[in-house]
Amino acid sequence: MTKRIFFIGLLIVSSFSCKKEVEEEPNGFNKTELLRNLTDNIIVPTYLSMEASIVELQNAWTAFTLTQNASNLDDFKVKWLNSNLIFQKAKMFHFGPGLNHGLRAAYGTFPTDTSKVLNLSAQTNPDVYILANIDAIGYPAIEFLIYRPNAFSLLSGSPTQRQFITVLLDKMKYDLDNVLDDWTTSYATQFKQSTGTSSTSGFSLLINAFNLEYELAKNAKLGIPIGNQSLGIAQPQYAEAPYSGKSLLLLEENLKFIKAVFQGVNDAGSDGKSFADYLVSLNKQSLRDEILNEINGALSDFDNLSDNLVVEIQNQPATLDALYTKLQNLVVHFKTDMTSAFGVLITYQDNDGD
Amino acid sequence: MKYFNRNEQISIAPLVVFRLLFGLLTLFGTIRFLSKGWVDEMYIQPHLYFGFYGFEWVKTLPGDWMYLPFILMILGSLGIIFGFFYRWAAVLYFLSFTYVELLDKTNYLNHYYFVSLVAFLMIWLPANKNFSLDVAWRKKKSFVSIPKFNIQILQLQLACVYVFAGIAKLNSDWLFEAQPLSIWLSSHVDIPVFGELLKQKWIAYAFSWFGCFYDLFIVFFLLMNRTRTVAYFFVIAFHLLTAYLFPIGVFPYVMISLTLIFFSVQFHEKIIVFLKDRISYRADNKNNIEFTETKSENLFYGFTFFIVLQIIIPFRHILYPGDLFWNEEGFRFSWRVMLMHKEGLAQFYIHDSKTGGEIEVMNSDYLTRKQEEQMSTQPDMLIQFAHHLQQEFKDKSLKINNQTYQIKNPTVHANVYVTLNGRPSQLMISKNVDLSAQTYNLQHRDWLENFKD
């Protein structure tokens, strides 16, 4: 009897489903393909181009230490910016090897502690590997040393400061080599196959890292400096890259990459399976379009802003507020609508679905 | 009615098997919980806890002392399994387990509530009156049969779980949208062979309708001799499937084991005889036939009251206006499992009336990820967190740009967006509402935005 009722149930069910089935178009989406695209076309190439940029930085710095002139320093500054812009992409992958080797914090902790930097760079054997010095290394520390007032003469006059930058670049190369090594030897294979919904699956790690990266960009690079966590009183001292004045350029690059990952495209023009395609396969084109509209809207605001956040806090606070509001609206779509559609779990504890 | 004849006697075997299984499950559950490091994550690391209304006085023990209730749970479980100082063991388990569950509603699960209820019932059941150390070592009297209602109360408790879970599924999202199962099943698209199938809409409908039918009627099929075996096959298949697809921990195994209580006396006696033979257990006195206590009558009425409560509690939501899934007023303790997929974003703001300034709150400064995730969609947790923030910022001095600002009377506001069962996200709490001025109680929360379907 049980069986009979079960089949009657199934009959009712299938009569309901006929109508719906027509709407479906089997586009063969699968998450393995998404992870493969991300790994092969975005993550590993990003790390590789970052490594190349650091080698360039090392070469440019060697050139400066051999021949200390303004043009060699200017050349190094160009390479610093180039490399830092690539880091704005690579730092998203804060899981697996990137997390294990602490890449994000070691490369990009800001604001840098200038007195600590000066103190360390006066030593003959500065320890740049301990956690306590995390805010005196990486791109922000180098930026301070090469962009501060009278940087050229100060660096020319201090062999230990020149040596300090060499040590910092060596550490950056060392960390990145480790990350790349882990990705290419074993992690990539394991990551591509890990398509489940548990919080430890590759797919969940990716979506969570994506959301966190977006929130970090919004809060640390914009929200905190413009005063959203301090009674509306701007705190320009928390701006990124204040010496070079490139803070908003870094934020823009960061957001452009978030958009690129969402769409699954890379600089070389390859376009593979992505979160956007996954949304489409779930019949959520409108959500995809809304997300793209909003992120394009936010990106277009940068046309009216200079690269320097500290300056714009003075000149165009309203434009910055408007940009922040746009970014805030987009968080809702990433963290609720998109995450919910993908059925990803944030924690790995038991739940009963309520 | 024959089923509820208070004086009818039945073999104690089903109760003894139930005792063994329940003790083994709680032992396994406790060890599993410990081994996953959840005590630290859920009860030592957090800075604040979301107490249940009326039970906010239940507090955590300092630091590693939080392991103590779990050690007591292990001792209680062992006492239950071996029937050794059985009643004390059951009391110990019930109190330590329920204490932990009351600490933080972040971790509320229906199956934890179920375990609490069954542990409470176990305190009153004569489950140690046969095949136990209380009989073998402590020379307590053994019995062959007990009043039948001692078995029936457990059957009724299980029936509550299933039937109410089934009733809860009689809603349009579940039946006509196949939600949230559509979301959950389609996320398994990469499972070999079956992945593509799970993405199909009709599969989600089939699962939804079958699940609803199963929950509503499985108990009746288990009660009838003719259908029991087939029904139990479905119990195993159903729960193993859910265990495979969803992260629901030990719950499937709890249900697979404990539904054996619906099986015949002969079935359970075979198990007991087999076990006794294996360990050459001969302590039970076959001459003491019927276990009757003078308290038995009180117990019968106590159980009746218990079950009546169990039937009323899941219906308390009808006292509230508005959408049950959205407002979650009267949602818990009602066997509403697998019904909702909610994701929320709660951005809190501290407003300082003196400067007119505002502080955006980073939830992660105060909450674990799990707490934040749960809080972001549940109104009673949102108001609890708002009150906590008000306390946190009251009379706080902030140093901004080398100037000190004293916050006198902060008000707390929030923009909360929630998506329910795949719908586009919508506003749940508007920033215009002063949450610090709202009281946390069991009345309808009229400051919630209405759900728009």
Side-chain angles (χ1 to χ4, degrees):
Chain A
M1 186 171 117
T2 323
K3 271 185 196 159
R4 196 182 310 152
I5 296 172
F6 175 51
F7 286 123
I8 293 169
L10 262 186
L11 271 179
I12 300 169
V13 167
S14 39
S15 64
F16 268 100
S17 53
C18 287
K19 164 173 72 88
K20 291 270 173 185
E21 253 176 311
V22 190
E23 296 168 16
E24 296 228 344
E25 42 175 326
N27 53 9
F29 179 86
N30 65 65
K31 285 187 270 183
T32 315
E33 185 51 36
L34 183 153
L35 292 179
R36 196 201 59 74
N37 177 40
L38 260 288
T39 308
D40 296 346
N41 298 329
I42 297 180
I43 301 176
V44 173
T46 302
Y47 280 135
L48 282 172
S49 67
M50 190 166 152
E51 198 196 30
S53 79
I54 286 179
V55 171
E56 279 187 16
L57 260 182
Q58 285 181 310
N59 292 338
W61 189 245
T62 309
F64 176 78
T65 48
L66 292 175
T67 317
Q68 288 156 42
N69 58 35
S71 100
N72 274 348
L73 186 60
D74 285 346
D75 182 47
F76 182 76
K77 285 178 180 174
V78 171
K79 306 251 155 78
W80 171 86
L81 181 60
N82 172 47
S83 184
N84 198 350
L85 286 171
I86 300 173
F87 171 63
Q88 298 308 314
K89 306 174 179 180
K91 74 194 195 68
M92 179 192 287
F93 310 111
H94 193 56
F95 54 84
L99 176 67
N100 292 341
H101 298 289
L103 208 62
R104 195 171 73 189
Y107 274 52
T109 299
F110 70 89
T112 200
D113 185 333
T114 53
S115 56
K116 213 186 266 182
V117 172
L118 289 174
N119 183 13
L120 281 173
S121 62
Q123 298 170 17
T124 39
N125 269 318
D127 189 350
V128 295
Y129 284 81
I130 57 167
L131 195 63
N133 290 334
I134 198 83
D135 54 354
I137 61 172
Y139 295 107
I142 297 176
E143 187 218 9
F144 164 67
L145 290 170
I146 62 172
Y147 278 100
R148 67 197 148 144
N150 300 321
F152 175 67
S153 59
L154 290 168
L155 284 168
S156 302
S158 171
T160 57
Q161 286 193 358
R162 293 200 298 276
Q163 175 61 20
F164 183 63
I165 291 183
T166 308
V167 171
L168 290 184
L169 291 171
D170 286 349
K171 174 184 160 49
M172 289 165 87
K173 177 79 167 40
Y174 174 81
D175 288 342
L176 188 58
D177 282 345
N178 278 327
V179 172
L180 252 176
D181 200 45
D182 286 0
W183 266 100
T184 46
T185 50
S186 59
Y187 192 76
T189 321
Q190 172 197 333
F191 178 74
K192 282 185 225 172
Q193 288 160 356
S194 186
T195 54
T197 53
S198 82
S199 68
T200 50
S201 75
F203 184 76
S204 298
L205 291 174
L206 181 67
I207 189 90
N208 286 331
F210 179 88
N211 285 338
L212 286 176
E213 175 69 3
Y214 181 78
E215 283 194 283
L216 200 59
K218 172 180 78 74
N219 295 329
K221 288 180 194 277
L222 187 63
I224 292 174
I226 66 173
N228 285 349
Q229 291 182 31
S230 48
L231 297 170
I233 302 158
Q235 307 191 94
Q237 70 273 26
Y238 286 110
E240 187 177 19
Y243 307 97
S244 60
K246 297 295 179 191
S247 31
L248 286 171
L249 184 64
L250 295 176
L251 172 59
E252 186 185 5
E253 190 71 6
N254 202 186
L255 292 173
K256 276 184 183 164
F257 186 65
I258 285 166
K259 180 185 161 188
V261 168
F262 178 72
Q263 293 187 293
V265 297
N266 75 4
D267 297 336
S270 94
D271 182 355
K273 288 279 180 267
S274 64
F275 295 151
D277 298 309
Y278 193 5
L279 285 177
V280 172
S281 87
L282 296 167
N283 287 324
K284 293 200 178 279
Q285 289 93 334
S286 57
L287 177 58
R288 178 201 61 178
D289 296 344
E290 213 165 332
I291 287 173
L292 283 174
N293 278 340
E294 288 184 3
I295 200 158
N296 287 333
L299 283 172
S300 69
D301 281 10
F302 286 87
D303 297 344
N304 309 318
L305 291 162
S306 72
D307 290 347
N308 194 333
L309 179 59
V310 181
V311 170
E312 297 299 1
I313 284 174
Q314 287 293 323
N315 295 349
Q316 305 194 64
T319 314
L320 294 175
D321 281 343
L323 171 61
Y324 185 83
T325 306
K326 287 182 186 174
L327 296 179
Q328 178 68 24
N329 290 341
L330 193 48
V331 181
V332 177
H333 286 135
F334 281 144
K335 282 194 81 175
T336 69
D337 297 307
M338 184 172 85
T339 309
S340 149
F342 294 164
V344 168
L345 295 165
I346 291 180
T347 51
Y348 59 90
Q349 283 143 8
D350 294 347
N351 74 52
D352 56 5
D354 64 2
Chain B
M1 238 162 90
K2 192 166 153 261
Y3 186 78
F4 294 112
N5 183 345
R6 171 159 65 82
N7 297 318
E8 192 183 340
Q9 291 273 323
I10 193 175
S11 161
I12 195 174
L15 186 59
V16 174
V17 172
F18 191 91
R19 183 195 91 211
L20 291 170
L21 289 172
F22 183 71
L24 286 168
L25 287 164
T26 57
L27 179 66
F28 173 74
T30 313
I31 291 170
R32 175 173 175 271
F33 200 96
L34 283 164
S35 68
K36 298 221 173 203
W38 289 346
V39 179
D40 186 51
E41 257 177 63
M42 292 152 104
Y43 297 108
I44 297 177
Q45 294 297 336
H47 304 302
L48 71 127
Y49 296 90
F50 294 87
F52 286 92
Y53 185 78
F55 289 92
E56 289 102 329
W57 51 271
V58 181
K59 299 288 181 202
T60 51
L61 300 169
D64 286 346
W65 283 99
M66 271 314 299
Y67 286 99
L68 180 66
F70 290 87
I71 293 166
L72 298 181
M73 280 182 227
I74 290 180
L75 291 178
S77 300
L78 289 172
I80 291 171
I81 296 169
F82 293 106
F84 188 54
F85 289 96
Y86 167 78
R87 183 156 293 181
W88 289 109
V91 169
L92 186 66
Y93 184 82
F94 168 72
L95 288 180
S96 50
F97 185 86
T98 308
Y99 159 70
V100 171
E101 292 323 309
L102 286 175
L103 289 171
D104 193 346
K105 64 174 71 147
T106 301
N107 307 319
Y108 170 81
L109 294 181
N110 282 292
H111 86 250
Y112 289 155
Y113 174 51
F114 173 73
V115 169
S116 262
L117 291 176
V118 174
F120 176 76
L121 291 174
M122 293 301 277
I123 296 171
W124 310 102
L125 296 173
N128 62 333
K129 303 293 179 198
N130 200 300
F131 193 39
S132 71
L133 290 182
D134 281 341
V135 171
W137 285 5
R138 298 181 64 220
K139 304 297 170 204
K140 299 280 179 186
K141 269 189 178 175
S142 68
F143 297 91
V144 172
S145 70
I146 50 170
K148 194 174 176 184
F149 70 82
N150 290 292
I151 307 289
Q152 286 168 330
I153 183 68
L154 294 170
Q155 293 179 337
L156 283 169
Q157 179 59 66
L158 277 159
C160 278
V161 176
Y162 278 120
V163 174
F164 280 112
I167 293 173
K169 289 182 174 68
L170 298 173
N171 69 72
S172 59
D173 273 13
W174 185 272
L175 296 175
F176 304 127
E177 305 291 334
Q179 290 289 22
L181 279 185
S182 289
I183 299 173
W184 292 337
L185 292 176
S186 65
S187 69
H188 289 285
V189 61
D190 288 83
I191 290 178
V193 188
F194 298 106
E196 271 304 308
L197 198 62
L198 292 177
K199 222 180 85 180
Q200 303 297 316
K201 199 76 184 172
W202 72 268
I203 283 282
Y205 276 99
F207 272 55
S208 294
W209 281 68
F210 173 71
C212 180
F213 178 81
Y214 170 89
D215 279 342
L216 282 173
F217 299 110
I218 190 68
V219 167
F220 302 102
F221 292 122
L222 283 168
L223 275 170
M224 288 187 286
N225 286 330
R226 216 157 47 85
T227 50
R228 188 173 299 124
T229 320
V230 180
Y232 192 67
F233 166 78
F234 274 100
V235 170
I236 295 173
F238 178 84
H239 287 295
L240 285 184
L241 187 66
T242 58
Y244 177 68
L245 291 174
F246 311 114
I248 44 182
V250 293
F251 182 66
Y253 310 104
V254 169
M255 294 314 262
I256 289 174
S257 309
L258 298 190
T259 41
L260 286 175
I261 194 73
F262 289 100
F263 276 63
S264 68
V265 164
Q266 294 76 10
F267 171 85
H268 288 97
E269 275 174 349
K270 268 187 217 153
I271 295 176
I272 295 295
V273 167
F274 172 78
L275 290 174
K276 283 181 178 174
D277 280 353
R278 285 298 291 267
I279 59 168
S280 311
Y281 174 99
R282 285 183 202 85
D284 294 323
N285 185 343
K286 293 193 176 57
N287 299 327
N288 292 323
I289 306 288
E290 290 195 353
F291 171 75
T292 41
E293 272 184 0
T294 43
K295 286 179 290 183
S296 181
E297 188 171 338
N298 295 339
L299 197 57
F300 178 82
Y301 292 114
F303 282 165
T304 309
F305 179 67
F306 177 89
I307 281 298
V308 169
L309 272 185
Q310 286 295 306
I311 292 168
I312 293 171
I313 289 171
F315 285 116
R316 74 190 186 285
H317 71 92
I318 60 173
L319 300 173
Y320 295 98
D323 189 87
L324 174 62
F325 288 4
W326 187 251
N327 298 340
E328 293 198 45
E329 293 167 328
F331 192 86
R332 294 190 195 92
F333 311 113
S334 308
W335 317 116
R336 290 181 223 287
V337 289
M338 317 287 297
L339 287 181
M340 299 196 300
H341 186 67
K342 265 180 157 179
E343 295 279 356
L345 183 82
Q347 179 61 62
F348 280 85
Y349 301 90
I350 311 296
H351 189 82
D352 176 38
S353 49
K354 209 170 83 190
T355 58
E358 205 173 66
I359 295 170
E360 233 179 60
V361 175
M362 305 291 286
N363 296 337
S364 55
D365 290 348
Y366 308 92
L367 304 174
T368 66
R369 277 195 90 178
K370 185 171 182 192
Q371 288 179 318
E372 184 180 355
E373 198 208 359
Q374 296 287 321
M375 182 273 293
S376 302
T377 62
Q378 299 180 32
D380 58 343
M381 294 178 78
L382 286 159
I383 188 79
Q384 282 178 291
F385 186 54
H387 287 177
H388 177 84
L389 287 174
Q390 193 196 19
Q391 289 307 310
E392 190 85 18
F393 280 89
K394 204 176 158 104
D395 299 321
K396 189 173 182 159
S397 41
L398 295 173
K399 229 175 154 189
I400 303 166
N401 301 344
N402 296 321
Q403 221 182 316
T404 308
Y405 294 84
Q406 184 81 21
I407 297 186
K408 273 271 180 293
N409 293 309
T411 57
V412 182
H413 303 256
N415 258 329
V416 181
Y417 285 89
V418 173
T419 154
L420 171 61
N421 286 348
R423 293 177 182 81
S425 57
Q426 50 179 290
L427 192 66
M428 175 179 263
I429 298 177
S430 150
K431 202 178 163 182
N432 301 327
V433 178
D434 175 6
L435 288 172
S436 41
Q438 313 299 327
T439 35
Y440 169 42
N441 55 30
L442 296 184
Q443 285 170 28
H444 171 58
R445 302 187 177 97
D446 52 12
W447 39 269
L448 291 172
E449 297 290 316
N450 285 328
F451 176 62
K452 294 175 215 59
D453 198 357

